[in-house]
């Protein structure tokens, strides 16, 4: 199972601004999933984008996928203090068992 | 919305003692996982479980660890003889299909294990 590499490692923005984070991976995928982790809590699934999709929206979240570059981005628009969390991508291949593997994530701090 | 529940939320134990961490996955889910996160570090995969057997495990999941689904609802992680380095948050997760089938994992809020 491969893990994604998130970039940047940390991001600090003002409330109302947009936050963009990127994910790169190495081998072809079936889907790529984004998760959020608030401090001390479990991971929460945000969006799953399939390999044949290029963009997906969910509320204030927008995810893009570029399989030719093996990269994905997560955009949070009009950020709120409650968006302060760590964000992880998890690329899924079809032959690597069921587990998801997580990288170091992007720590996002939204200042009020 | 159905959720994964874990008990206890915090467990303190002495080195060498056995601990059992409990999880109730979402009721129609078939795939179960344990992850751990040492303070300030990555969320690490421990083990996955399907059809009453381990389907995959990491190097961390050595002979000190075992998992069980004792009944139709609980999924447990046992650490036989805890070490100081087992101190971490332990997360249970479940999914209804393999995650390669476009199915996300649903995580519980974890059990914080402190070994003294």
């Amino acid at each position: 199972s491969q893990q994604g590499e998130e970039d940047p490692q940390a991001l600090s923005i003002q409330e109302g601004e947009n936050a963009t984070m990127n994910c790169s991976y190495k081998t072809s995928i079936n889907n790529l999933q984004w998760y959020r982790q608030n401090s001390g809590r479990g991971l929460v699934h945000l969006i799953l984008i399939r390999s044949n999709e290029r963009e997906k929206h969910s509320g204030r979240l927008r995810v893009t996928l570029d399989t030719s570059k093996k990269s994905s981005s997560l955009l949070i628009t009009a950020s709120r203090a409650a968006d302060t969390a760590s964000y992880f991508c998890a690329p899924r291949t079809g032959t690597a068992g069921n587990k998801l593997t997580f990288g170091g994530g992007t720590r996002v701090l939204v200042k009020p | 919305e159905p959720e994964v529940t874990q008990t206890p939320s915090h467990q303190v134990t002495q080195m060498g003692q056995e601990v059992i961490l409990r999880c109730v996955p979402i009721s129609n889910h078939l795939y179960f996982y344990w992850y751990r996160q040492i303070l300030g570090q990555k969320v690490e995969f421990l083990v996955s479980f399907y059809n009453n057997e381990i389907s995959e495990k990491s190097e961390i999941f050595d002979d000190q660890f075992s998992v069980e689904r004792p009944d139709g609802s609980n999924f447990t992680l046992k650490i036989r003889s805890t070490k100081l380095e087992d101190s971490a948050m332990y997360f249970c997760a479940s999914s209804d299909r393999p995650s390669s089938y476009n199915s996300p994992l649903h995580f519980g809020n974890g059990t914080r294990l402190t070994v003294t």
Side-chain angles (χ1 to χ4, degrees):
Chain A
S1 175
Q2 66 172 321
Q3 70 181 42
E5 297 295 333
E6 297 90 352
D7 174 69
Q9 289 186 326
L11 187 55
S12 179
I13 55 174
Q14 292 295 136
E15 207 164 24
E17 293 180 342
N18 295 343
T20 300
M21 59 212 88
N22 303 297
C23 169
S24 58
Y25 57 91
K26 291 189 167 60
T27 65
S28 61
I29 58 172
N30 280 10
N31 65 67
L32 187 141
Q33 304 179 28
W34 283 93
Y35 289 79
R36 182 188 74 225
Q37 184 183 32
N38 292 90
S39 180
R41 310 279 282 181
L43 280 75
V44 173
H45 174 254
L46 296 176
I47 289 187
L48 183 152
I49 186 164
R50 302 180 189 200
S51 59
N52 61 353
E53 296 176 313
R54 291 296 165 259
E55 188 169 311
K56 204 158 181 183
H57 297 254
S58 175
R60 293 183 296 110
L61 305 179
R62 173 178 165 247
V63 165
T64 63
L65 179 65
D66 187 334
T67 52
S68 66
K69 294 181 180 174
K70 294 187 172 54
S71 68
S72 175
S73 69
L74 170 66
L75 167 69
I76 306 172
T77 59
S79 62
R80 304 168 182 167
D83 295 326
T84 293
S86 291
Y87 292 81
F88 302 88
C89 69
R92 281 295 292 127
T93 64
T95 57
N98 296 327
K99 70 182 184 192
L100 288 182
T101 306
F102 298 96
T106 294
R107 291 186 309 280
V108 175
L109 172 63
V110 181
K111 294 180 279 188
Chain B
E1 186 176 320
E3 56 181 28
V4 175
T5 56
Q6 291 185 244
T7 55
S9 56
H10 191 186
Q11 172 97 41
V12 181
T13 190
Q14 288 193 322
M15 201 166 52
Q17 294 296 303
E18 174 184 287
V19 293
I20 297 176
L21 310 183
R22 300 181 193 279
C23 170
V24 179
I26 294 173
S27 62
N28 63 337
H29 284 188
L30 301 175
Y31 297 84
F32 312 112
Y33 312 82
W34 283 101
Y35 286 79
R36 81 169 186 193
Q37 186 176 34
I38 295 170
L39 188 63
Q41 297 188 24
K42 292 180 186 180
V43 176
E44 301 173 290
F45 169 77
L46 292 178
V47 66
S48 60
F49 192 86
Y50 169 68
N51 201 25
N52 280 321
E53 58 183 31
I54 291 174
S55 47
E56 198 169 359
K57 60 183 181 179
S58 71
E59 290 175 355
I60 303 167
F61 194 89
D62 61 21
D63 292 344
Q64 293 297 320
F65 292 87
S66 62
V67 289
E68 196 177 31
R69 188 154 162 83
D71 53 42
S73 59
N74 291 284
F75 180 51
T76 62
L77 174 69
K78 183 194 291 187
I79 309 175
R80 255 178 277 284
S81 176
T82 50
K83 308 184 196 79
L84 293 176
E85 54 264 37
D86 293 327
S87 295
M89 281 288 283
Y90 287 80
F91 295 105
C92 173
S94 68
S95 64
D96 58 353
R97 288 166 295 169
S99 59
S100 56
Y101 284 69
N102 301 316
S103 183
L105 267 58
H106 297 259
F107 283 81
N109 275 325
T111 292
R112 178 170 299 286
L113 177 64
T114 302
V115 183
T116 61

